[in-house]
Amino acid sequence: MKLEKANSEQDWEKASSLLSQVVDRLNGLDRTLWAKDQVSVASVQQSYRLDELNFLIETTFVGVVFLQKSDPLFWPEMTEHDSLYIHKLAIDPVRAGEQLGQKALTAIIDQAKIRGFSWVRLDCDDRPELHRFYQNYGFEMLDIKDVGEFRVARYQLLTNTIK
């Protein structure tokens, strides 16, 4: 799997559309994660920059992820710029069950190493299946905390990269 950076304004719609499909699938499974308004074009544009939007490519487009160099909302104590932060990692529901989430994490960690980041960090909803997913990959849970209206589990993984 490879990461491909977004490069046009139309990419916002492509990302929002996939995120919306994920919302619909999870809602259908009674496992709500994001609300539709949180993945609208306007909302993702408000929360992220275009150069933070990445498409996950496995021969074809299979997912999206936002990668940030800082995250003052969920990681305010991290003042060193030694981390790559993962947000809204989502795989096309049609491709569910193909282990693409693990391949996506490998591609993200490889990108962090290339860019010289010592850590990959993320926050996720506090739910058992997400805990298993990240812990099985090797992420360490730092804590569970309330950030505004969200209760999140914060995870980190050392990339073994020395700056």
Side-chain angles (χ1 to χ4, degrees), residues 12 21 23 29 39 46 77 96 98 120 132 153 160-161:
W12 289 114
Q21 291 172 46
V23 166
L29 296 170
V39 300
Q46 183 178 347
E77 74 279 17
E98 295 183 27
V120 174
R132 275 191 305 278
N160 296 321
T161 299

Side-chain angles (χ1 to χ4, degrees), residues 8-65:
S8 74
E9 290 299 314
Q10 291 79 15
D11 288 337
W12 289 114
E13 184 59 46
K14 183 177 176 180
S16 176
S17 175
L18 182 114
L19 289 165
S20 242
Q21 291 172 46
V22 170
V23 166
D24 290 341
R25 178 175 186 269
L26 291 174
N27 287 346
L29 296 170
D30 202 26
R31 293 180 10 214
T32 301
L33 181 59
W34 303 307
K36 280 279 198 171
D37 65 331
Q38 290 176 295
V39 300
S40 69
V41 170
S43 182
V44 292
Q45 283 179 320
Q46 183 178 347
S47 300
Y48 307 102
R49 297 188 328 255
L50 185 62
D51 67 349
E52 296 169 335
L53 171 56
N54 292 265
F55 295 108
L56 302 165
I57 309 296
E58 178 85 351
T59 308
T60 61
F61 164 63
V62 296
V64 299
V65 64

Side-chain angles (χ1 to χ4, degrees), residues 48-151:
Y48 307 102
R49 297 188 328 255
L50 185 62
D51 67 349
E52 296 169 335
L53 171 56
N54 292 265
F55 295 108
L56 302 165
I57 309 296
E58 178 85 351
T59 308
T60 61
F61 164 63
V62 296
V64 299
V65 64
F66 291 91
L67 300 175
Q68 297 183 302
K69 294 186 279 187
S70 66
D71 186 355
L73 178 61
F74 291 98
W75 295 86
E77 74 279 17
M78 298 299 169
T79 56
E80 296 280 326
H81 294 289
D82 65 346
S83 302
L84 188 62
Y85 298 90
I86 299 173
H87 287 282
K88 298 239 182 324
L89 172 59
I91 302 296
D92 186 340
V94 173
R95 304 290 301 268
E98 295 183 27
Q99 309 302 315
L100 296 176
Q102 292 87 339
K103 289 181 179 182
L105 288 176
T106 298
I108 292 164
I109 291 162
D110 288 347
Q111 183 63 216
K113 290 176 181 178
I114 289 166
R115 293 170 64 181
F117 290 107
S118 301
W119 295 92
V120 174
R121 292 189 162 107
L122 61 98
D123 64 273
C124 65
D125 196 43
D126 179 19
R127 60 175 77 191
E129 63 270 20
L130 291 174
H131 292 296
R132 275 191 305 278
F133 175 72
Y134 290 113
Q135 289 171 1
N136 286 343
Y137 195 88
F139 279 82
E140 166 196 9
M141 186 195 306
L142 186 63
D143 56 22
I144 296 175
K145 66 186 282 185
D146 294 318
V147 178
E149 63 187 80
F150 306 105
R151 182 161 188 81

